[in-house]
Amino acid sequence: MSLNRFDQEADPIVRLSDISKRFPNGTLALDKVSLEIPRGQLLCLIGLSGSGKSTLLRHVNGLHKPTSGSVDVMGMRVSEAANKDLREVRRHVGFVFQQFGLINRATCLENVLSGALGRLNWPRYGVRSYPKQLRRLAFDHLDRVGLADQAFQRADTLSGGQMQRVAIARSLMQEPQMLLADEPVASLDPESSGQVLELLLKIATEENMTVICTLHQVELALGWAHRIVGLRAGKVVLDRSAIGLDQRDVMDVYQRVDVTEAPTADEDVPTSILNS
Amino acid sequence: MSSTVVEQRRLSPPFTARNSKLLIVFVGYVVATIWSWRYIHMSFAGLFGGFSDVAALIARMLPPDFYQLSGIISATIETLWMALLGTTIAVLISFPLSFGAAKNTTPNKFVFALCRGIITMTRAIPDLIFAAIFVRAFGIGPLAGILALGLHSIGMIGKMFADALENADAMPREASISTGASKWQAIFASILPQATPTMIGTSLYRLDINVRASAVLGLVGAGGIGFIIQSALRSLDYPSALAAVSVIFVVILAIEFFSSKVRASILGERSASVVVVRSQSERSIRRTGRDRTLLVDAVTMRSLVPPLTSDRKSRIISVWVYAIMLGIALGTINMPIFSSFGYFDDAWRIVTQLVPPDFTTARSELITGMSETLAIAFISTTLGLFIAIPLGLLSSRNIVIRKMVFVGTRSMLVVFRGIPELIIAVLFVSAMGLGPVPGTLALTLVTAFFMSKLIADTFEEVDPSPREAIFATGATRMQELFGSVLPQAMPALVSQILYMLDVNLRSSTVLGIVGGGGIGFLLLGSIRVFEFGTTGAVVFSIFVVVYAIELVGSWVRGVLDKAN
Ligand SMILES: Nc1ncnc2c1ncn2[C@@H]1O[C@H](COP(=O)(O)OP(=O)(O)O)[C@@H](O)[C@H]1O
Ligand SMILES: [Mg+2]
């Protein structure tokens, strides 16, 4: 595998080598993290709030650059890539956010269409500025997440679960090799959480996508993930196959470290953990 | 009580840094007003004499004489087209400018500073000053007026556009970037759609303002109805002048009504319009029913274009109406569009003569003019405030019990606010002769009309529960007014006074153009005799003073916002 040559088939699809991230304000969010993620793996990232999960995901698609270490995704050294190369990688990596990231005033169809921007040349504004063939495709993706009927509704008229499904359809529009999901169901009620997560996994398996998902609900994670990685204060403290792993092993990740070493961020322990 | 023993109880509140700063501001303001009063030789006798002169003039104007009606109508139409074209130019320039002037979209710091600088400059220089300069370059006629409106409006439109971009939620943009979109693709796909309603609302609002502004541009020869008013007054044809004033007055009110309606429908429920949209009329129910069918049909037929719902339809109609009006404006306005490009040479020559500004030739006139301008601003703000407070109280529905009173006062104020201030100034100058006093009186009236609305709105927002508590102690209505309403409204009031001072300063720089005192006289004179170096000095001084007052204002607001 040669560096800096984009390769859709690369395996492992992601390689993090010893990355550390110190933010300008001094916070050490990642501390020498190394991970290799083989193609097609469903990886679940767990850890307390502030342990560095979002920061890790953001390194994978180059929204953040590491302070030291290197990030390789599909053969491209993302941590050093030029803008153009970075866009090439991002086109093939879907990102699902906790807060959806939809344009409230735009229709669902337009929101989904914006997922195709990476392979278009000019700025676009409004549904009509996208080619017809892409609009057809966007309809199909909306269909797949069960929202074709809402195609011309404004995004802010939808429920939270529906919004996240539109966001998933937007990712599908990219035809991604890999999906990064940052607490995709944390803003949803339990019932739609289940539905959205199920949809996400169904699509990922059907398309043979690699998935890195951060999740608060450990029981859910154990149900579907191939591999569980636990972070604590920016360090990997657990990296195991999900098979044979029980909740108690996982709970250790949520044990607070020595108070003096604890990250300064809010450390709310997820409720599902406390109750279990 | 704290642990320390209080030997002698304080009987007056402690003097915090905030209070002493505010006291300095207050004393400064009072001193400035007294100085101003002496500087322009105001007197209460002159004040009442002035109002009776104006009353006499109005008596001579009555009844209006419409023998010039066709001329008045065509001048009114020209006024409207000038406003439309000027606003269009301003929007076209402001749009790209705002991307440079918004923190989240600007390419770099240099572009940011440049764009913000252009916005501040164009805002500080009144449109009438641009117009007076452009009349020299492009000749008498609407082109000068259109360019003046276009340039000056950039200040407000550009700022509001940039703010709209900055206020956009950043999440969708990050999502766009994550799909592999380029910077500008992400901005267009996710920032711009969030800003468009504000952008459209701002443009319409500015169009509204520019209709008023373009009504007076004729005073310096820049086209429109102001020219007719000016020449009728000069030839002492008062009834005809009143006819012109009343026509433009009605048109301005009508435009204001329509524009607030359109803005309300674009901005939806969030708009702060005076027009109340009845929410569930039979028609709107039928309309939403039809829209729903259209949406369902579009989805089942897999239509690839958004269905023609009533919202969309009215948007498309608005665009067409605008396009057609623009076409008519360009086609009919009395303006040699292409040949006038030849004059840009002249315009450029004038611009180059404005710098370096020449402060020496007319040094004493410059100082007197600027002092007079400041004096007019201070006095008209203070006097206007004294009139506005009772008017404001009378038009607050939570203070005046009788509905008749506040509805009556409110409607009267709405009507008076429709008259452009410079037209009032022209009337006062015609009645009382040249000088700063008529200018001051005119601005005083305008301030009173405008500020009483601000004050009434403030009073209506006052929290009712402390009021009840004070009534419950057996206080009289007056005691209650001073005991609970005024203290609650005070910070807002101070900030409104600052705002009015700022507005009046800008206005008083141009009063001199119609003989109402202040720096405008020297400005117009220097342009007439081609002493553009002096013109540059005047423009520079105005910019500095206006900007300084703006800075002082924002400093005082900052102090006000502090807790102690
Ligand atoms: N842009 C940033 N600037 C400074 N500190 C940050 C930034 N983003 C995250 N952090 C800090 O980095 C640590 C890890 O944050 P994050 O990755 O969001 O944790 P998680 O997603 O696990 O809750 C936290 O202490 C957080 O405060
Ligand atoms: Mg997070």
Side-chain angles (χ1 to χ4, degrees), chain A residues 48-55 57-58 98 182-183 214 216:
Chain A
L48 284 169
S49 186
S51 57
K53 306 182 296 293
S54 302
T55 308
L57 282 187
R58 285 157 173 273
Q98 178 185 343
D182 193 2
E183 303 191 16
T214 71
H216 262 336

Side-chain angles (χ1 to χ4, degrees), chain A residues 52-236:
Chain A
K53 306 182 296 293
S54 302
T55 308
L56 193 149
L57 282 187
R58 285 157 173 273
H59 276 83
V60 175
N61 80 341
L63 286 176
H64 285 331
K65 300 266 157 114
T67 316
S68 64
S70 60
V71 180
D72 298 285
V73 178
M74 292 186 238
M76 188 84 80
R77 178 139 296 184
V78 166
S79 47
E80 285 154 29
N83 248 339
K84 194 171 133 287
D85 293 338
L86 210 49
R87 289 185 57 198
E88 179 76 28
V89 172
R90 286 177 183 158
R91 267 184 50 184
H92 298 272
V93 179
F95 205 126
V96 177
F97 297 85
Q98 178 185 343
Q99 298 300 338
F100 324 132
L102 297 184
I103 303 139
N104 284 336
R105 289 190 57 257
T107 59
C108 297
L109 194 66
E110 187 174 346
N111 271 294
V112 174
L113 278 166
S114 73
L117 281 173
R119 47 197 142 120
L120 294 170
N121 270 330
W122 298 99
R124 309 281 157 157
Y125 186 85
V127 169
R128 283 161 175 273
S129 63
Y130 291 87
K132 279 231 161 91
Q133 156 223 346
L134 283 180
R135 289 185 230 168
R136 240 173 252 126
L137 198 59
F139 244 119
D140 292 342
H141 291 313
L142 271 175
D143 223 359
R144 204 157 168 201
V145 299
L147 287 173
D149 287 351
Q150 277 75 16
F152 291 111
Q153 241 163 282
R154 272 171 60 145
D156 56 5
T157 62
L158 303 181
S159 72
Q162 290 175 320
M163 287 197 194
Q164 194 59 297
R165 275 146 67 193
V166 172
I168 293 172
R170 176 179 57 197
S171 295
L172 288 178
M173 201 65 195
Q174 296 174 241
E175 292 163 357
Q177 304 282 310
M178 176 163 65
L179 204 58
L180 309 175
D182 193 2
E183 303 191 16
V185 296
S187 308
L188 306 180
D189 61 82
E191 197 186 339
S192 20
S193 289
Q195 288 171 0
V196 166
L197 213 52
E198 205 168 295
L199 177 74
L200 203 68
L201 293 169
K202 181 166 156 275
I203 289 174
T205 331
E206 280 170 11
E207 303 286 321
N208 194 25
M209 277 191 244
T210 313
V211 176
I212 312 179
C213 181
T214 71
L215 212 56
H216 262 336
Q217 293 90 334
V218 177
E219 326 76 277
L220 283 179
L222 287 175
W224 59 265
H226 298 151
R227 176 181 177 191
I228 308 272
V229 170
L231 283 182
R232 188 196 290 154
K235 285 197 179 80
V236 175

